[in-house]
Amino acid sequence: MHVLKEWFGGRVRIVLLLMILFAVGVCGASIGVDLWQEWRTPPEVRVTEALQNAMAAPMYCYTGEAVRVHEGKEQVITRLKGEKNGEAVHLYGTVDVLDTELDVYQINDNFYRKDIVSGQWMQMTGQNLEATEYLMQEINPLGCLVTNDTAQVTELGKEKLNGVSCKKYQMQYSGENTFLTSVWKEFYYTVWLDKKHRLQQVELIADDHENSAEQLRLMIQFDWNAEVSEIKAPV
């Protein structure tokens, strides 16, 4: 302050006021640019890019739960946690509908699966590898995130999710996951994106092809602050 007085004499207050106004103007301009870019981006593109970026992220951690709803009664199918670090993925949890646990690693093109009877780790090759790849397609909840910008998206407003300010969207899409579409139809997504346009949560509801009283409900939550350590082959 003494230095400012020496430089500007009695006009220190005016100088400080101009500095504050300049800082506010810079911040306001930055916010304005962000709002302008967001306004110009169609919600279909915004949501599709967020889903694609989540799947392509070099590191992530998520939890997923799949529930079958029949005439209002719920049955948990799976409760899974997924972690990714680079080209390595670890998927583990419970397959409640079969009353068993699941533990699978994918390290580059190699799959490792824990045998539920012996507890030993097996590296999948040949037909077992194909079966494991198909299993991953079936149980990995991220498979439902494959969409494109042809989906119909509606912005529902703002909502706080676990303390994070998000924008909420609803989307109807036919789906591209072959396993899901073989059993379910009429996919309705609710998507929550944070200020950085990162996917915080997605809820999927789909109807059964043959039984209108039966639905699938899938919930996935991402934790972008979680540290995922190096994922190594278990054997």
Side-chain angles (χ1 to χ4, degrees):
M1 184 65 72
H2 292 295
V3 174
L4 289 175
K5 286 183 177 179
E6 291 178 3
W7 286 3
F8 300 104
R11 291 172 294 185
V12 173
R13 290 184 180 179
I14 296 176
V15 173
L16 289 175
L17 178 60
L18 290 174
M19 291 172 65
I20 293 172
L21 290 175
F22 176 76
V24 171
V26 170
C27 293
S30 176
I31 294 171
V33 170
D34 291 341
L35 290 174
W36 171 253
Q37 290 177 343
E38 185 167 336
W39 179 77
R40 289 189 61 191
T41 305
E44 291 80 6
V45 175
R46 206 176 306 151
V47 171
T48 300
E49 287 182 350
L51 296 175
Q52 293 173 346
N53 291 339
M55 294 188 66
M59 182 181 295
Y60 58 60
C61 179
Y62 72 86
T63 56
E65 181 182 74
V67 176
R68 185 191 300 269
V69 183
H70 181 71
E71 295 182 346
K73 296 182 180 179
E74 297 184 354
Q75 179 189 26
V76 177
I77 303 173
T78 58
R79 290 188 180 97
L80 299 174
K81 184 171 184 177
E83 297 175 336
K84 178 185 178 184
N85 190 332
E87 297 299 318
V89 177
H90 184 200
L91 187 64
Y92 57 97
T94 58
V95 184
D96 298 61
V97 71
L98 299 178
D99 193 24
T100 187
E101 295 184 354
L102 176 78
D103 205 345
V104 179
Y105 284 82
Q106 180 181 357
I107 314 294
N108 296 313
D109 295 328
N110 299 312
F111 287 87
Y112 303 87
R113 184 177 176 186
K114 192 172 187 179
D115 183 75
I116 60 176
V117 177
S118 66
Q120 301 296 314
W121 286 99
M122 302 179 295
Q123 183 173 353
M124 300 295 102
T125 58
Q127 292 182 346
N128 288 332
L129 175 59
E130 293 181 7
T132 301
E133 289 178 333
Y134 184 72
L135 175 68
M136 289 289 283
Q137 292 176 9
E138 289 188 1
I139 63 176
N140 190 346
L142 295 193
C144 75
L145 302 186
V146 179
T147 64
N148 59 47
D149 54 15
T150 62
Q152 301 175 10
V153 178
T154 303
E155 187 173 331
L156 300 180
K158 296 180 180 180
E159 183 176 308
K160 274 204 169 183
L161 191 67
N162 299 322
V164 178
S165 181
C166 297
K167 278 196 172 182
K168 187 177 179 181
Y169 301 87
Q170 192 171 68
M171 175 173 66
Q172 182 178 359
Y173 189 61
S174 59
E176 292 187 7
N177 184 297
T178 54
F179 171 72
L180 286 175
T181 54
S182 66
V183 182
W184 310 97
K185 63 178 182 177
E186 300 298 332
F187 296 89
Y188 292 92
Y189 295 76
T190 305
V191 178
W192 289 259
L193 305 183
D194 65 15
K195 292 181 179 179
K196 296 181 179 180
H197 297 171
R198 296 179 304 187
L199 181 64
Q200 288 291 327
Q201 179 172 287
V202 58
E203 181 184 48
L204 166 67
I205 297 177
D207 296 327
D208 187 274
H209 270 301
E210 300 177 356
N211 188 351
S212 60
E214 192 162 310
Q215 286 185 324
L216 169 71
R217 189 177 72 241
L218 178 62
M219 181 74 77
I220 306 170
Q221 290 184 324
F222 281 85
D223 183 357
W224 298 107
N225 296 320
E227 289 291 333
V228 180
S229 57
E230 183 182 1
I231 300 174
K232 299 180 179 180
V235 293

